[in-house]
Amino acid sequence: MTPIDPAGTVAVVGAGTMGQGIAQVALAAGHAVRLYDAAPGRAEEAARAIGARLGRLVDKGRLDAAGRDAALARLLPAARLAELADSALVIEAIVEQLDAKQKLFTELEQVVPDGCLLATNTSSLSVTAVAGALRLPGRFVGLHFFNPAPLLPLVEVVRGFATDPEAADRARATVAAWGKTPVACADTPGFLVNRLARPFYAEAFRVHEEGGADPATIDAVLRECGGFRMGPFELTDLIGQDVNNAVTRSVYEAFFHDPRFTPSLAQQRLVEAGLLGRKTGRGWFSYAEGAERPEPATAAPCEPPAEIGWHAEAPRVCAPLREMIEEAGIKVVRDRAPHEADWYMTLPDGAVLTLTGGEAATPGNGGPHIYFDLALDYRTCTRIALAASEKASARDVRAAVGLFQALGKSVSVIADVPGLIVARTVAMLVDFAEDAAGRGVASREDIDTAMRLGVNYPRGPLEWGREIGLDRVRGMLRGLAQDYPGGRYDPSLSLRRRAAVEESLL
């Protein structure tokens, strides 16, 4: 793969925040950059803003003055599209409207040479549709940078239906030469990150809508148990509820109302009320001056049991628990003749304590059951969520709470919602990723890279699936589908196939 010549000119059309960021990235790679915007004077204003940012880098010691001056000498605001005629690459970052983008690129084709690579930074429109109006659609690609472009490493390189493989390869090589991490993907709704991230928001919102837990508690469990950097409620407040909701609705519409992508009514109500998050002072949480963030629901201290029963072999993801329990001074009595293949623990009064299987505790079990949530790492996590069946007594719940508190965890007791919080979210993320890989949307390596770098997940979803075991992920989804019929939680064909292969190798 050969990138465009470093001596070649890169043109950026659209001088807003994203256009400025992309221009700065190209300047840092040594290119001459022409910056154009249809609004008179905006390109010159953007060039001054880029100069100010480069100046701040000099002040911080991240760039020397000579480097700044050389970059600014290569930055050339353009007043007319005709000034982009010598470009080797044009990247568009204008308004997210299909007709506007098609008109722009149709005009550009009359200006730039046939060998010029054309790219859109769209995050929501079809690359194929934008290229549909072009004379040479084969040279057209998507280059989806993440904001702020100078700082975030990931770039999705999107090949439209008519994109020539050579053009996609050249775009990917160019992005890599600029010091970014490119991931190649097909032109699918949401591309990679916005498509695969939907369950992170959707499952949390659904748990809240069903009265399972409040936003602060759900966020805390996903951060402190699941290892995510931010919870979905605080993250969408940061992004903007209108922006996040629009992406969700766009993907839902593009997939012809596939139930897996169903938007949240609660989020829609926030948007309708104008409660868009930080930018309006209130979203899921209040950002008014002096407002205090709600604390997550955390159980009061409880006495741990003196001993617990241990039945069958724990799944790999839960294996550290036995050693942790013994280290805490709690006796573990192993069942010498396990009467069930599935692993579980028993509390002093006989209640069953086990990892959620996806289904709710009450309808699916006759006796007292308490489910605990999936953790990224049970040793290092600082919070655990529990959900009890209606037949579990208050004494049983206190024993379960005390057990995990003895392991150094804060405990959130939530309502009996299927799959709790982390488990249902991760199961859906794994399934979405396996489905995308199976459909050839992207390579397995690029899928995990995209989700680690694009949304800072603690693990790539495919890697997470291997760690949990795809058969267990499939079981969690089937448990969810049992309680939520309608197709949303049906395991994808790709996941079922790979789980079957994994099972056959055991």
Side-chain angles (χ1 to χ4, degrees):
M1 295 188 294
T2 304
I4 64 170
D5 190 334
T9 297
V10 174
V12 178
V13 180
T17 301
M18 182 57 78
Q20 292 176 31
I22 295 171
Q24 185 176 330
V25 170
L27 283 172
H31 290 277
V33 175
R34 293 193 182 275
L35 186 58
Y36 171 80
D37 196 286
R42 188 171 291 174
E44 290 80 3
E45 181 182 332
R48 289 192 292 272
I50 292 171
R53 281 198 293 273
L54 294 179
R56 288 193 290 273
L57 292 178
V58 172
D59 294 341
K60 295 176 180 178
R62 298 177 185 173
L63 179 69
D64 59 38
R68 174 199 59 198
D69 294 342
L72 291 177
R74 297 193 304 273
L75 179 58
L76 307 170
R80 298 177 298 116
L81 277 181
E83 296 177 48
L84 312 185
D86 63 344
S87 302
L89 166 64
V90 180
I91 305 175
E92 163 274 317
I94 66 170
V95 63
E96 285 286 270
Q97 294 176 2
L98 179 60
D99 57 351
K101 293 181 189 291
Q102 288 180 327
K103 181 177 183 294
L104 169 65
F105 283 108
T106 300
E107 293 174 354
L108 278 169
E109 277 201 310
Q110 300 172 30
V111 172
V112 300
D114 288 355
C116 176
L117 195 63
L118 300 179
T120 174
N121 184 61
T122 184
S123 61
S124 61
L125 299 176
S126 163
V127 171
T128 301
V130 178
L134 299 185
R135 175 174 56 87
L136 298 174
R139 59 168 166 174
F140 190 84
V141 299
L143 287 180
H144 180 213
F145 289 77
F146 289 75
N147 194 28
L151 297 180
L152 296 185
L154 187 72
V155 179
E156 294 176 321
V157 181
V158 186
R159 57 189 186 277
F161 187 79
T163 302
D164 292 333
E166 295 80 5
D169 289 345
R170 192 176 180 206
R172 181 167 186 162
T174 299
V175 168
W178 291 0
K180 296 297 183 181
T181 303
V183 292
C185 66
D187 184 19
T188 183
F191 307 144
L192 273 182
V193 172
N194 279 332
R195 171 179 174 164
L196 302 187
R198 294 351 289 165
F200 179 68
Y201 311 107
E203 295 310 309
F205 296 165
R206 177 168 272 206
V207 169
H208 171 55
E209 289 170 346
E210 294 177 359
D214 62 274
T217 300
I218 296 170
D219 275 359
V221 170
L222 283 162
R223 285 195 315 267
E224 301 170 33
C225 183
F228 293 94
R229 184 167 296 184
M230 294 181 74
F233 295 91
E234 58 186 340
L235 180 55
T236 52
D237 269 356
L238 178 63
I239 295 168
Q241 299 303 330
D242 52 341
V243 175
N244 184 263
N245 184 58
V247 172
T248 299
R249 295 191 68 84
S250 173
V251 173
Y252 179 59
E253 296 289 341
F255 276 112
F256 306 106
H257 296 188
D258 185 323
R260 296 178 302 162
F261 298 97
T262 302
S264 162
L265 179 59
Q267 185 180 44
Q268 179 65 26
R269 290 290 181 261
L270 280 182
V271 174
E272 291 169 347
L275 305 178
L276 307 183
R278 288 181 179 270
K279 61 187 175 184
T280 61
R282 183 180 167 195
W284 296 109
F285 305 111
S286 173
Y287 300 92
E289 186 176 353
E292 293 186 6
R293 180 69 62 87
E295 292 294 323
T298 303
C302 294
E303 189 72 23
E307 69 175 43
I308 56 105
W310 189 276
H311 300 260
E313 293 297 323
R316 181 175 57 187
V317 70
C318 295
L321 285 173
R322 179 173 179 177
E323 187 175 72
M324 292 167 62
I325 291 168
E326 291 176 330
E327 289 170 355
I330 298 169
K331 184 177 180 181
V332 177
V333 179
R334 185 175 178 86
D335 188 343
R336 296 181 179 178
H339 51 81
E340 293 184 24
D342 290 339
W343 168 79
Y344 59 92
M345 294 179 280
T346 50
L347 298 171
D349 290 348
V352 169
L353 176 64
T354 191
L355 175 65
T356 177
E359 73 284 351
T362 298
N365 299 291
H369 278 69
I370 301 172
Y371 286 155
F372 61 85
D373 212 343
L374 178 70
L376 177 69
D377 184 328
Y378 284 104
R379 275 207 172 272
T380 60
C381 75
T382 57
R383 183 175 296 271
I384 288 288
L386 302 178
S389 71
E390 291 183 1
K391 291 191 176 180
S393 68
R395 178 183 170 93
D396 293 329
V397 174
R398 287 195 300 271
V401 169
L403 173 66
F404 281 105
Q405 288 175 338
L407 306 186
K409 317 300 180 188
S410 298
V411 180
S412 293
V413 180
I414 68 172
D416 182 20
V417 290
L420 281 86
I421 297 170
V422 179
R424 67 190 286 166
T425 300
V426 171
M428 287 292 279
L429 289 172
V430 172
D431 189 51
F432 272 44
E434 286 289 353
D435 183 53
R439 292 175 184 271
V441 173
S443 71
R444 300 180 70 82
E445 179 182 1
D446 277 359
I447 286 171
D448 274 354
T449 297
M451 301 314 287
R452 286 197 307 269
L453 298 184
V455 277
N456 288 312
Y457 284 0
R459 242 186 219 135
L462 297 174
E463 178 191 2
W464 220 331
R466 291 192 299 271
E467 178 67 22
I468 300 167
L470 292 182
D471 184 56
R472 183 165 294 276
V473 173
R474 178 180 59 184
M476 287 179 178
L477 291 169
R478 285 176 171 169
L480 285 159
Q482 168 186 305
D483 286 343
Y484 299 114
R488 179 185 177 101
Y489 298 102
D490 290 341
S492 67
L493 177 60
S494 298
L495 176 65
R496 297 198 308 271
R497 282 174 171 163
R498 290 189 67 86
V501 171
E502 180 185 86
E503 207 172 11
S504 70
L505 296 175
L506 295 179

